[in-house]
Amino acid sequence: MTVHFDFASQEFFRDPPAGLKKLQAAGPVIEAKFPIVGRVWMATTQEMASRVLKDGRVFTLRKDDGTVAGLRWWMPRIFRVFANNMLNMDEPDHARLRGLVDEAFRRRAVLDMEPRVRAIADELASELFAQGSPADLVARYARMLPLSVICELLGLPLADRPKFIAWAGRATGVSSTLGFFRLAPTITAMRRYLGEHLDRVRREGGEGLIAELVRVEKEGARLTRDEMIAMVFLLLLAGHETTTHLISGSVFELARNPALRDWLEQDWSRADLAIEEFLRFVCPVQFSKPRFVRQDTELGGVRLKRGDQVMAMLAAANMDPTANVAPEKLDLTRRPNHHIAFGTGIHFCLGYQLARLEGKCALQALYTRWPELALAVKPAEIRWRSRPGLRAIVSLPVIHPAG
Ligand code: HEM
C-alpha cells in the first residue's frame, strides 16, 4: 500500500517529529511517491536505512546499463554530464573518483583550515547588520560562510559567489518535471562557466583543489573531462547547499530556545556535542539518493523486486526511538548520538569534518559578536522551501538588541 505523505509541506518541516511518527507507524519500509523519482520504497528506521546504504551488492546507484537511479530518460542530456560524479557511481568508479579528493577533506587538512574558517565567520558576523536590521541570516551568513570556504578550497573566485548562489538556488529548487526543463539554461551556463574556468587553469595554472585535479588530469587515465566538471559541480553544490541549512536550522532552534543559546554561550567547548545534535535534529539532507534494487530481496518485512527504487529516509532514521532515547527532544548534551545525517557506507559524506567545523565556527562567531541575537518575527512565520529532500529555511530575519 502506498503511503500518501507531503514531504515538502510547511506542516512537516515545522514539526518533523510529529510527521515522522506517523510515517514510522506505517512500517520500517514504506512505499511512497516522490517528485521526479516516482514510486520508491523508503527505509524509515536506522537499521533499515543503514542496510540500504551499506549493502552495495543489493542496492546500487546504477543499473548494469549505466542508468542512474533517480535520473529519468526524459531529462536533457546536459544533466547526464553533471551526473558523472562519485555520488552517482558504484565501485570501482566511485573509489577512483573519491580517492582523487579524499586527501583534501581528511582530518588534518580540515584542521589546517580552521583559522581561515574562523576568520571568514568573524568577518561575516561583524557585517551581519551592515545593511540594516533586521538582517536575513540565511542570505547574509548561513549561505555565505560555507560558500566562501568551498570557493577558497576549490580555487574559485570569491567574486563569482552571487552566480553560484543563483545557480544553486535554481538547481535545488526543482520539484517537478517541468521545473527540470526550465533548469536546462542554468545547467548550460554552469557548464560553460566551469568549462572556461578549467581551461584557464589548464593553460595558466591556479590555486586550490581544482588546480590539483588539473594536474591529475594531465597525468592521464584517472579522470575524464566530463568527470572533472561533474566533480567540481558536486563539491561546489554539496559543499555549501547542505551546511547552509545546518547553520540556519541551528540558529532557528537556538532563537526559539534562548536558554539553550545562553547555555552554549557560557562554554564553547559544548559546541561539538551541540552540532551533532543539530545534525540529527535539523537533518538538512532528509533522504539519501535513490538506489536500485539489484536482486529480489526482503527488507523490513517487505519484498522488494529487482529494478525497484529505494531511498534511506535519513530524517526518519534520526528520529528512530530504537536508535536514540526521546528522539523528538532537542538535547544538546546527547551522548552517544546515533544519527546518520551524513549517510553511511561507501558514500558517507566526504565533507563531514568540514561541515562540523563550519557549523561550530558559525555558531561561535555569530553569538560571540551578537550574544542576544533573536528572531525578528514569530517562529510560526518562518517558512521552509517547499521542496522535498532538503530541510531549508527560506529566510531568517534576525535582530540584536544592541545592533
Ligand atoms: C551539514 C552538512 C552536510 C550534510 C548533512 C551532508 C550530507 C551528506 C549525505 C547524506 C551524503 C550521502 C548521500 C547518499 O548516500 O545518497 C553526502 C555525500 C557527500 N557529501 Fe555531504 N553533507 C554535508 C556537507 C558536505 C560538505 C561541506 C561537502 C564538501 C565538499 C560535502 C560533500 C559530499 C560529497 C562529495 C558526497 C558524496 C560522497 C560519495 O559519494 O562518496 N558534503 N553528504
Side-chain angles (χ1 to χ4, degrees), residues 22 29 31 44 98 151 214 241 285 338 364 391:
K22 280 188 217 151
V29 179
E31 194 180 29
T44 63
R98 184 159 172 148
C151 281
V214 164
E241 190 56 45
V285 178
H338 297 290
Q364 188 169 357
R391 185 158 175 253

Side-chain angles (χ1 to χ4, degrees), residues 60 62-67 292 294 306:
T60 56
R62 292 184 181 241
K63 285 185 178 168
D64 282 340
D65 66 2
T67 311
F292 279 124
R294 293 301 298 268
R306 181 183 156 90

Side-chain angles (χ1 to χ4, degrees), residues 86-87 94 98 238 242 288-289 291 314 341-342 346-347 349 351:
M86 67 181 97
L87 189 48
H94 165 263
R98 184 159 172 148
T242 47
S288 73
K289 290 211 62 201
R291 270 60 171 177
L314 309 175
F342 289 124
I346 62 165
H347 293 281
C349 179

Side-chain angles (χ1 to χ4, degrees), residues 53 86-87 94 98 105 150 234-235 238-240 242-243 246 279 284-285 287-289 291 314 340-344 346-352 354-355 358:
L53 298 180
M86 67 181 97
L87 189 48
H94 165 263
R98 184 159 172 148
F105 292 92
I150 196 71
L234 173 69
L235 296 177
H240 88 279
T242 47
T243 318
L246 171 67
L279 279 160
V285 178
F287 297 86
S288 73
K289 290 211 62 201
R291 270 60 171 177
L314 309 175
I340 54 168
F342 289 124
T344 182
I346 62 165
H347 293 281
F348 181 75
C349 179
L350 174 75
Y352 76 102
L354 181 58
E358 289 174 345

